[in-house]
Amino acid sequence: MSDPGKKKKLTYAAAGVDVRANDEAVARIKSLARATFGPQVLSEIGSFGGFYKAHFPKMKSPVLVSSTDGVGTKLKLACMIRRHNTVGEDLVNHCVNDILVHGARPLFFLDYIGIHKLEPPIVAEIVSGLARACSAQGMALIGGETAEMPDIYQVGDYDLAGTIIGVVDEPKIINGSTIKNGDICIGLPSTGLHTNGYTLARKVVFEIAKLRPEDKIPELKSSVADALMAVHRCYASVVFKLLEKFSIHGMAHITGGGLPGNLNRILPDNLDAEVVKGSWPVLPIFEYLQAAGSLDREDIYSAFNMGIGYVLVVAEKDAASVLEALAGMGEKAFRIGAITPGHKQVRLV
């Protein structure tokens, strides 16, 4: 018989954190991450720090460029439909685009996964997306952190964030400082919402329209889940080809805040960007959300990218050649506006 006066010992697992599950998750992560390593990586997953041998003989003055971001409430949808293998791609591609606007090439990436209960198969799915996207960009997934925190995250929830490090030669940094009056704005199409606007989109789809993830929307020619989970596009392969031939005055990644909240970030203080609505085809998903939610037509341009995921600002004399080069790559692109005198504002006309 057990002694009723003897207290039962409390273990870490009983408190909600399973160390053995963490060890299994790390074991799965190692093989996925190691596949992204090149000779510059001098450490293994599980070390206290990631080692990357920096050697840039072709650069006069190499400058490291860093950025940190997350996937946002797109993760709520991923958890709802139990599709975890693409959110890692979303995160990596988002971060690559963020440093790409400065002309930087990605070197290595670190991720953070905070989760209610550590389930190794789910973590492996998430990391598979991270590794796939890193490999596509020739970048090492050099390390990260996986934290089981049942007191912070709700049952079934997790968060995903990442940090990217890239490099650019100092004379080739692009920061918008060379943008001039009369320059042309060229937009590159998005694949959908990318990683922004999901709080509003989920409210429209699941609360107002009362759809289920598996429901089909005829005008989208796909299920709700497929339309909303479309992977955030990476623009690196296209942009680096352009940089070999053209002088790009500025670039903007269109994320939270849409065109008005991102294109303005690269404008000199004395200039505006005038963007012409209707100069590109708005994607059907945005038309659906606007109609189904009776959303304000002006407001949605600040909530969503509206079909433009990346903007190039080029000299007017180069615009036709840039558009021709993009077409030669099989890339759809649109002349969406121009730079005018002003006060660092984006005007939608």
Side-chain angles (χ1 to χ4, degrees):
M1 296 179 63
S2 60
D3 184 354
K6 188 176 180 180
K7 289 184 178 180
K8 185 178 179 180
K9 291 183 178 179
L10 179 64
T11 65
Y12 205 6
V17 177
D18 189 342
V19 176
R20 286 177 296 182
N22 182 73
D23 292 342
E24 182 184 342
V26 171
R28 293 180 182 231
I29 289 169
K30 279 186 176 181
S31 61
L32 292 166
R34 192 179 289 117
T36 71
F37 289 4
Q40 302 92 340
V41 179
L42 306 181
S43 56
E44 284 289 341
I45 297 296
S47 301
F48 284 100
F51 294 5
Y52 189 94
K53 187 173 183 179
H55 182 55
F56 312 111
K58 295 182 180 180
M59 294 187 179
K60 295 179 181 178
S61 180
V63 174
L64 296 179
V65 183
S66 60
S67 184
T68 296
D69 221 306
V71 183
T73 60
K74 189 172 188 176
L75 294 175
K76 297 291 287 186
L77 180 61
C79 291
M80 180 189 297
I81 65 175
R82 299 192 66 81
R83 186 187 300 179
H84 310 288
N85 63 337
T86 59
V87 291
E89 286 183 86
D90 289 319
L91 177 62
V92 171
N93 291 347
H94 184 131
C95 289
V96 170
N97 290 340
D98 277 352
I99 66 168
L100 178 65
V101 303
H102 298 300
R105 291 184 177 273
L107 297 174
F108 58 88
F109 194 87
L110 300 100
D111 68 279
Y112 166 82
I113 303 171
I115 195 165
H116 172 82
K117 179 176 176 56
L118 211 160
E119 299 181 50
I122 289 179
V123 172
E125 277 193 70
I126 296 169
V127 177
S128 72
L130 292 166
R132 188 163 55 251
C134 284
S135 293
Q137 300 306 321
M139 174 171 53
L141 179 57
I142 202 171
E145 167 70 0
T146 303
E148 186 177 45
M149 296 190 288
D151 294 337
I152 300 294
Y153 298 102
Q154 298 296 315
V155 175
D157 279 353
Y158 62 86
D159 195 14
L160 176 63
T163 296
I164 190 171
I165 305 296
V167 65
V168 61
D169 203 355
E170 189 171 6
K172 296 183 178 180
I173 290 175
I174 300 169
N175 57 18
S177 61
T178 60
I179 293 175
K180 295 180 174 58
N181 180 33
D183 282 356
I184 301 301
C185 300
I186 295 174
L188 302 181
S190 67
T191 52
L193 275 71
H194 282 181
T195 48
N196 297 99
Y198 279 86
T199 299
L200 178 57
R202 287 186 300 107
K203 185 175 183 65
V204 170
V205 171
F206 301 121
E207 294 183 28
I208 297 175
K210 300 189 183 304
L211 297 179
R212 299 166 301 175
E214 65 271 20
D215 287 340
K216 296 289 180 72
I217 301 176
E219 53 264 53
L220 301 184
K221 300 178 181 178
S222 71
S223 68
V224 170
D226 288 344
L228 293 179
M229 288 296 290
V231 174
H232 192 131
R233 184 183 172 193
C234 183
Y235 297 90
S237 61
V238 171
V239 169
F240 284 130
K241 289 176 183 176
L242 289 177
L243 290 175
E244 293 174 0
K245 300 180 179 180
F246 301 101
S247 173
I248 307 296
H249 292 178
M251 296 186 284
H253 182 202
I254 310 305
T255 56
L259 283 159
N262 289 282
L263 187 50
N264 68 323
R265 295 165 67 178
I266 63 170
L267 295 175
D269 291 339
N270 64 332
L271 296 175
D272 281 356
E274 188 174 89
V275 174
V276 181
K277 291 185 290 185
S279 57
W280 73 91
V282 172
L283 293 180
I285 182 64
F286 300 114
E287 298 282 12
Y288 172 79
L289 291 171
Q290 194 274 327
S294 298
L295 304 179
D296 182 85
R297 190 70 184 178
E298 300 302 317
D299 184 58
I300 57 175
Y301 278 85
S302 295
F304 304 123
N305 64 60
M306 299 304 288
I308 296 294
Y310 200 90
V311 175
L312 310 162
V313 181
V314 302
E316 185 176 20
K317 67 179 179 62
D318 293 332
S321 297
V322 170
L323 286 166
E324 184 180 351
L326 287 165
M329 299 178 206
E331 177 68 35
K332 291 181 179 179
F334 309 95
R335 181 169 172 156
I336 65 170
I339 303 301
T340 65
H343 306 283
K344 204 176 172 69
Q345 302 294 314
V346 176
R347 291 180 284 112
L348 300 171
V349 299

